Amino acid sequence: MRNRELNGSFVFLIFSALLILGKAEIYIVTLEGEPVISYRGGVSGFEATAVDSDSDEKIDVTSELVISYAHHLEKRHDMLLDMLFDQGTYRKIYSYRHLINGFAVHLSPEQAEILGRAPGVKSVERDWKVRKLTTHTPQFLGLPTGVWPTGGGFDRAGEDIVIGFVDSGIYPHHPSFATHHSDPYGPVPKYRGKCEIDPNTKRDFCNGKIVGAQHFAEAAKAAGAFNPDIDFDSPLDGDGHGSHTAAIAAGNNGIPVRMHGFEFGRASGMAPRARIAVYKALYRIFGGFVADVVAAIDQAVHDGVDILNLSVGPNSPPATTKTTYLNPFDATLLSAVKAGVFVVQAAGNGGPFPKTLLSYSPWIATVAAAVDDRRYKNHLTLGNGKILAGICLSPATHANRTFTLVAANDVLLDSSAAKYSPSDCQRPEVLNKNLVQGNILLCGYSFNFVVGTASIKRVSETAKSLGAAGFVLAVENASPGTKFDPVPVGIPGILVTDVSKSTELIDYYNVSTPRDWTGRVKSFKAVGSIGEGLRPILHKSAPQVALFSARGPNIKDYSFQDADLLKPDILAPGSLIWAAWAPNGTDEPNYVGEGFAMISGTSMAAPHIAGIAALMKQKNPHWSPSAIKSALMTTSTTIDRAERPLQAQQYSGSETMSLVPATPFDYGSGHVNPRAALDPGLIFDAGYEDYLGFLCTTPGVDAHEISNYTNSPCNYTLGHPSNLNTPSIAISHLVGTQTVSRTVTNVAEEETYVITARMAPAIAIETNPPAMTLRPGASRKFSVTLTVRSVTGTYSFGEVLLKGSRGHKVRIPVVAMGYNR
């Protein structure tokens, strides 16, 4: 025993010395040799494991062939590290064998250099961090009447389709994931994921609805970022985000959303009968590490998920990769798509500024966020007759009565309390209950609310504990870009977000509140009443592109050069979305301890598309990922409920929000229309070889770098990246005339399509042929020719429309910028 302790100490000393020599970090290493997904034979003693990328057949990961070849790769990883370094001077974290051939390892920068020069090593990348891109929507999208009946009703919508969530875990006991009120779930033979055991309850996380639950934290632990007390060393959601996204995509139908004694409606996932597979790789405080996320994706595809939802994006560009499409994250997702998995990713929350997207690659469905038709409003009526608008999901003060207004700073127990930012109303113990009781407490919205150290929930709790009739939270100065969301509270309350209205409130209070020469209040004479803000107002000007939703143009490299590929791909609801929450989740301070949360982000938009894709996969089980993406895009809409062109929330000169005409850089092809997506008429299909061709044709992309990540040579080019067969056309540098081609495949009855196009005046557009007839299953090519008429220095927008004789409409957006040379 003593010797073992000494040996362990010796190893620790060596490792500590390495840390001093150069701080150990996590590196993702890729090696020569094919991963399981693309191995076609050639290694003595190991038969091919790849399947033809054009076939519907999936790799059988349980076969002896696959198991032995995967084991062979892992042995090679271990042998390489053992050959180069002494035991104890490094720590291998993961072996990646299925989608990429490589491993994640914790070692010093000096060792990483040695590793990079070793034979058979293709790339060594320092790991980088990722972050989260943080119920009415089934009705808004027309699912209950238009889509669910075609799949056998809500109780069969998404049956036997498995959606994998790489997120912050799940709270398995939530009613959105319960099975006791539904038909029994049978086994899903194609899915092979496992269920971890909760170390506290000793029960596993699965129940038939949840079919897999695993967590990935080895990189986070190696980096010293993981805290088991708050991050939970299990698939349990310690954040709330993962439970929320899973419920949006696949939560049970008709779950009452109750908070503070009020029912805000009934929540449902897009595909209520779909199964949930959890791959926890995100954590509350630090987000996550790419090494953990890649391991989670690799496992999910190995386990047999149909759809992968990623409400996650990189914090910053990877250090060593020049091309946005070529990094371990996107390369792994390319292999996932090759395996037949439909990958959905949130666009990012950096809007409304251009080039803020965090999802770049053509094999991924990139989702922007829309504001749907619900708006929550409330009002404060003052004693002088003025009515001030605000927000808060709250009951009203008693009808036909006004209440005295008392400011927090005027009801302090003693002057020493001033050091606690008392105007935030976060600490009831510093305020005088005798002066607050029965009155409306006036509080100030400070920077503490922006950074999350103060919350509206806590203001409500303070007011309630002091016996207040209600509270008002006034925003006196807002930093540009501050987003105010309504929050449910149990007592009357309102957040006055407009600074000018807050000034009116404060002026009225000061005029009505006499003070002595020291500034102390002699009597409180200001009065007011709070309206009811529990019910939404439905607007016809929906959907709109949300202010925070990341915008294009897409970029092809990290020097922000424009790409010849349109992103985002599609728009889906992502603002003020009600869904399940983990009671121990702390991602949103206003929902700590609650069972539901109403939050916003492209994180919320992505699972809408994942759930709708599950409905499409259920109806068309043999459709490829690109076919599903094409059907979603070509059937989307660019008009709102009032039959006007979509608008985007944007900043005007004074940094107040305004609405401007939206473009494909805001919404991609348009807002999702699930009913039409189930019957698109035509699809634009593309496979692994096409994506390789796109990479090999993109200017500035090194063929050697492509080979490093894909194990494939550049034998095939498209002539120009704009020729990739996507349901959109983007040409970032158009000189003179350029013709691009597209191929469509008929997935309906025989139909004749008339092809037309329109474009902004600076660029002429023509299509050829003018019409074509396609039999079921047939494919036909058409071309689109763009010619520069005038150079404006801005992008021109347009569209190509294929109108079918049986009523199908297939629309693809076109963006181009003209140059003289």
Side-chain angles (χ1 to χ4, degrees):
M1 184 66 193
R2 180 82 183 130
N3 284 346
R4 195 179 303 162
E5 282 174 13
L6 284 171
N7 289 343
S9 305
F10 181 62
V11 166
F12 178 75
L13 286 170
I14 294 174
F15 203 49
S16 301
L18 270 167
L19 288 170
I20 294 162
L21 180 67
K23 189 175 183 307
E25 296 192 68
I26 299 156
Y27 293 86
I28 298 173
V29 182
T30 58
L31 305 178
E32 286 175 7
E34 302 276 359
V36 167
I37 187 95
S38 53
Y39 172 59
R40 298 196 171 277
V43 177
S44 177
F46 298 97
E47 287 182 44
T49 53
V51 294
D52 186 5
S53 57
D54 294 330
S55 78
D56 290 332
E57 193 187 346
K58 286 200 171 185
I59 290 175
D60 177 9
V61 296
T62 61
S63 73
E64 190 53 45
L65 288 178
V66 169
I67 292 167
S68 63
Y69 182 67
H71 183 63
H72 159 75
L73 291 179
E74 187 161 0
K75 259 174 70 178
R76 281 189 56 212
H77 303 165
D78 295 339
M79 281 167 61
L80 174 66
L81 288 166
D82 282 349
M83 183 181 75
L84 292 175
F85 310 118
D86 291 337
Q87 283 243 288
T89 66
Y90 67 87
R91 183 175 156 221
K92 189 186 80 170
I93 293 167
Y94 296 109
S95 268
Y96 306 125
R97 303 158 303 172
H98 295 95
L99 303 181
I100 56 173
N101 174 22
F103 53 84
V105 62
H106 192 232
L107 37 67
S108 70
E110 291 80 4
Q111 286 173 303
E113 270 190 50
I114 295 166
L115 190 53
R117 293 194 294 268
V121 173
K122 288 179 159 189
S123 66
V124 178
E125 292 228 24
R126 195 172 74 236
D127 194 2
W128 72 106
K129 280 189 177 178
V130 295
R131 60 176 174 223
K132 303 177 296 276
L133 303 172
T134 301
T135 45
H136 160 89
T137 46
Q139 283 76 17
F140 178 70
L141 294 170
L143 292 172
T145 56
V147 177
W148 288 348
T150 67
F154 74 82
D155 52 352
R156 288 288 170 266
E159 185 79 76
D160 289 345
I161 303 296
V162 180
I163 307 176
F165 296 88
V166 177
D167 214 301
S168 66
I170 198 161
Y171 182 68
H173 314 298
H174 197 280
S176 287
F177 314 123
T179 55
H180 39 265
H181 293 308
S182 61
D183 285 350
Y185 284 93
V188 188
K190 66 184 177 188
Y191 182 74
R192 295 164 297 270
K194 65 180 184 190
C195 287
E196 290 183 19
I197 304 292
D198 186 324
N200 296 320
T201 65
K202 305 298 183 227
R203 289 164 52 195
D204 75 33
F205 280 79
C206 297
N207 62 1
K209 171 76 174 172
I210 302 168
V211 289
Q214 300 169 61
H215 80 294
F216 301 81
E218 294 307 310
K221 290 174 183 175
F226 188 85
N227 178 347
D229 292 336
I230 56 173
D231 293 319
F232 302 117
D233 209 355
S234 77
L236 186 65
D237 187 0
D239 177 286
H241 191 271
S243 301
H244 201 268
T245 56
I248 291 169
N252 291 329
N253 180 56
I255 303 302
V257 178
R258 287 197 191 96
M259 279 178 78
H260 309 300
F262 186 79
E263 187 174 305
F264 288 96
R266 289 179 177 254
S268 171
M270 299 294 103
R273 191 70 181 173
R275 312 299 182 98
I276 293 166
V278 176
Y279 298 87
K280 176 176 166 182
L282 299 181
Y283 297 88
R284 297 172 33 177
I285 309 284
F286 57 86
F289 289 83
V290 170
D292 288 329
V293 171
V294 168
I297 295 166
D298 193 64
Q299 188 65 49
V301 176
H302 168 273
D303 291 346
V305 301
D306 296 295
I307 292 158
L308 200 51
N309 183 82
L310 298 161
S311 291
V312 55
N315 270 1
S316 57
T320 53
T321 306
K322 297 184 212 58
T323 310
T324 47
Y325 320 124
L326 286 176
N327 59 67
F329 191 68
D330 281 43
T332 306
L333 293 176
L334 175 56
S335 291
V337 170
K338 185 181 184 183
V341 178
F342 180 70
V343 178
V344 188
Q345 188 180 17
N349 294 342
F353 308 107
K355 297 190 181 184
T356 44
L357 293 159
L358 295 173
S359 175
Y360 318 101
S361 297
W363 45 89
I364 298 166
T366 302
V367 188
V371 176
D372 68 16
D373 56 353
R374 289 167 310 142
R375 307 284 189 280
Y376 288 95
K377 293 190 174 166
N378 204 344
H379 62 274
L380 170 68
T381 305
L382 300 178
N384 61 5
K386 285 192 175 174
I387 298 174
L388 308 183
I391 54 173
C392 217
L393 302 179
S394 88
T397 48
H398 288 297
N400 308 318
R401 266 195 69 188
T402 59
F403 295 83
T404 303
L405 303 179
V406 298
N409 282 346
D410 289 330
V411 293
L412 301 182
L413 279 172
D414 62 63
S415 57
S416 66
K419 66 186 176 191
Y420 295 118
S421 304
S423 65
D424 284 0
C425 299
Q426 301 295 292
R427 291 168 169 257
E429 67 272 17
V430 302
L431 303 178
N432 187 330
K433 185 169 184 175
N434 294 331
L435 294 176
V436 175
Q437 196 158 20
N439 298 325
I440 292 175
L441 180 63
L442 274 183
C443 311
Y445 190 95
S446 69
F447 185 65
N448 294 337
F449 288 87
V450 180
V451 296
T453 53
S455 71
I456 297 169
K457 179 185 173 78
R458 188 78 185 119
V459 174
S460 167
E461 289 168 351
T462 295
K464 188 175 182 181
S465 70
L466 296 172
F471 69 88
V472 178
L473 191 53
V475 178
E476 294 177 70
N477 45 40
S479 49
T482 305
K483 190 165 70 69
F484 299 105
D485 284 347
V487 171
V489 292
I491 66 167
I494 187 168
L495 172 65
V496 180
T497 58
D498 185 324
V499 173
S500 64
K501 302 290 183 206
S502 293
T503 304
E504 286 184 39
L505 164 64
I506 292 159
D507 289 348
Y508 165 69
Y509 177 79
N510 285 336
V511 165
S512 309
T513 308
R515 299 172 186 272
D516 64 19
W517 65 273
T518 66
R520 190 182 302 234
V521 173
K522 290 203 269 187
S523 60
F524 295 99
K525 303 278 191 189
V527 294
S529 61
I530 295 168
E532 194 242 77
L534 291 168
R535 288 169 182 80
I537 301 153
L538 299 182
H539 275 242
K540 276 200 165 176
S541 61
Q544 296 165 357
V545 181
L547 186 71
F548 57 81
S549 186
R551 310 296 209 258
N554 192 14
I555 56 170
K556 67 180 180 183
D557 57 37
Y558 292 109
S559 54
F560 286 81
Q561 299 245 7
D562 289 16
D564 293 306
L565 177 74
L566 180 64
K567 288 281 176 174
D569 292 308
I570 197 158
L571 184 67
S575 179
L576 305 182
I577 305 297
W578 276 114
W581 198 246
N584 44 15
T586 55
D587 189 40
E588 293 283 336
N590 289 314
Y591 294 97
V592 171
E594 303 294 353
F596 292 91
M598 183 176 68
I599 56 176
S600 303
T602 52
S603 277
M604 284 64 251
H608 279 91
I609 295 298
I612 293 163
L615 302 176
M616 296 168 71
K617 186 85 175 169
Q618 180 187 14
K619 188 184 176 198
N620 305 287
H622 301 299
W623 275 15
S624 68
S626 61
I628 295 172
K629 182 176 159 188
S630 170
L632 287 163
M633 289 174 68
T634 61
T635 58
S636 61
T637 180
T638 56
I639 57 169
D640 66 17
R641 285 291 176 85
E643 300 290 316
R644 293 179 306 218
L646 287 180
Q647 294 182 295
Q649 296 181 346
Q650 182 56 268
Y651 287 132
S652 54
S654 61
E655 283 166 337
T656 55
M657 198 191 76
S658 61
L659 291 171
V660 298
T663 76
F665 290 144
D666 305 319
Y667 56 63
S669 58
H671 191 276
V672 65
N673 178 350
R675 188 175 193 166
L678 286 178
D679 181 22
L682 302 175
I683 56 163
F684 294 74
D685 216 346
Y688 185 71
E689 298 298 326
D690 301 295
Y691 296 132
L692 279 183
F694 169 80
L695 291 172
C696 294
T697 312
T698 299
V701 179
D702 183 353
H704 179 69
E705 202 176 5
I706 294 169
S707 174
N708 275 357
Y709 284 104
T710 65
N711 295 294
S712 302
C714 274
N715 294 335
Y716 167 53
T717 73
L718 304 172
H720 190 276
S722 297
N723 285 325
L724 178 65
N725 202 42
T726 56
S728 61
I729 294 171
I731 303 176
S732 62
H733 196 105
L734 176 64
V735 178
T737 296
Q738 186 175 326
T739 299
V740 298
S741 64
R742 289 290 182 274
T743 301
V744 287
T745 301
N746 187 8
V747 292
E749 299 294 307
E750 182 172 319
E751 196 163 2
T752 299
Y753 285 85
V754 174
I755 309 175
T756 57
R758 60 187 180 86
M759 197 79 190
I763 290 171
I765 187 166
E766 288 177 23
T767 57
N768 187 49
M772 55 191 186
T773 301
L774 292 95
R775 290 187 169 175
S779 296
R780 285 285 301 274
K781 190 175 273 196
F782 69 93
S783 64
V784 180
T785 301
L786 302 171
T787 303
V788 178
R789 277 184 177 151
S790 59
V791 175
T792 60
T794 58
Y795 274 95
S796 294
F797 302 105
E799 66 180 25
V800 174
L801 182 66
L802 294 88
K803 205 167 181 184
S805 54
R806 289 176 171 271
H808 289 111
K809 281 184 187 170
V810 177
R811 187 184 50 78
I812 67 169
V814 181
V815 304
M817 195 191 299
Y819 288 83
N820 288 320
R821 56 190 175 86

